[in-house]
Amino acid sequence: TGVQIGGGVRLNSTTKAFSQGTSMVTGGQLDMAIQGNGFFRATQPDGAEVYTRDGSFRLNSQGQIVTSDGLQVSPAISVPNDAVNITVGVDGTVNAKLPDGSVTNVGQLQLVNFVNPSGLESIGRNFYRETPASGAPTIGIPGEQGLGQIFQGFLEGSNVETVTELVNMIIAQRAYEINSRGIRAADQMISTAASMMR
């Protein structure tokens, strides 16, 4: 009772892998890579917060640090227009060097983490949204509370290993072939038994 026989397979679920990707040197003052766990926060025009590991930031016309799509980093950080250099520490501290040689602190980057990052909802362009499955975000300083550190002048590349994925695909193909042979062998045995009964 209750047994159902289907005619094939269907997709049950997908998971997101947020393992560390390869860090690539760019030298950009506002290029940042997270070494470890965590996400950057950004604010959409409607005030909703989204999360990303894409650290390719830039300055907008008001001198605020924004994402490559123009979303303001949260908490907001403004850099003086006459700043000649920007440095970001591994703990997210942002300093600006002024023309007179003085250095001033302009803000503190924060990272967030989730109990279940795989539960985040992808909304495209490397942005994710909080869901009940992901849990509420835990906000902290980079390098603390299990959060990763920030490295300036780097960008995180893809975490997909081509060789590993090819090997996994070959394993899945071989498993399919073995199952197909087993089904064919069982079918031949039933056919033989049926012919003997005649």
Side-chain angles (χ1 to χ4, degrees):
T1 301
V3 176
Q4 297 181 352
I5 300 176
V9 297
R10 65 181 178 86
L11 181 65
N12 187 34
S13 65
T14 59
T15 59
K16 302 173 188 69
F18 290 109
S19 58
Q20 183 71 46
T22 304
S23 296
M24 301 177 294
V25 180
T26 65
Q29 291 187 40
L30 292 176
D31 286 341
M32 305 174 210
I34 302 173
Q35 188 71 31
N37 298 322
F39 296 84
F40 295 108
R41 288 192 297 161
T43 305
Q44 291 182 309
D46 61 0
E49 284 197 340
V50 292
Y51 310 94
T52 182
R53 284 186 66 93
D54 182 0
S56 55
F57 300 125
R58 59 182 177 84
L59 296 178
N60 63 10
S61 58
Q62 288 80 39
Q64 297 174 324
I65 298 180
V66 296
T67 67
S68 56
D69 287 348
L71 300 184
Q72 183 176 303
V73 171
S74 179
I77 298 175
S78 297
V79 178
N81 292 330
D82 58 348
V84 296
N85 189 35
I86 301 170
T87 58
V88 182
V90 293
D91 62 349
T93 304
V94 183
N95 295 314
K97 184 177 182 181
L98 303 179
D100 62 1
S102 62
V103 177
T104 179
N105 179 267
V106 295
Q108 169 74 55
L109 284 169
Q110 296 177 339
L111 297 180
V112 302
N113 203 7
F114 297 86
V115 175
N116 177 30
S118 297
L120 290 169
E121 177 190 359
S122 175
I123 59 175
R125 303 186 67 81
N126 289 331
F127 290 108
Y128 299 89
R129 183 184 293 134
E130 172 191 348
T131 68
S134 68
T138 302
I139 304 171
I141 303 298
E144 300 178 3
Q145 302 175 18
L147 295 169
Q149 295 179 319
I150 295 177
F151 285 85
Q152 183 182 22
F154 292 83
L155 285 177
E156 183 180 1
S158 174
N159 61 359
V160 176
E161 293 288 343
T162 306
V163 174
T164 302
E165 296 305 319
L166 283 173
V167 170
N168 289 338
M169 185 177 67
I170 292 171
I171 291 172
Q173 185 178 6
R174 294 295 181 263
Y176 173 79
E177 291 176 357
I178 291 171
N179 287 333
S180 297
R181 290 175 184 173
I183 292 171
R184 284 198 299 269
D187 184 57
Q188 290 174 357
M189 292 172 62
I190 292 172
S191 297
T192 303
S195 63
M196 290 176 62
M197 292 178 63
R198 295 193 193 121

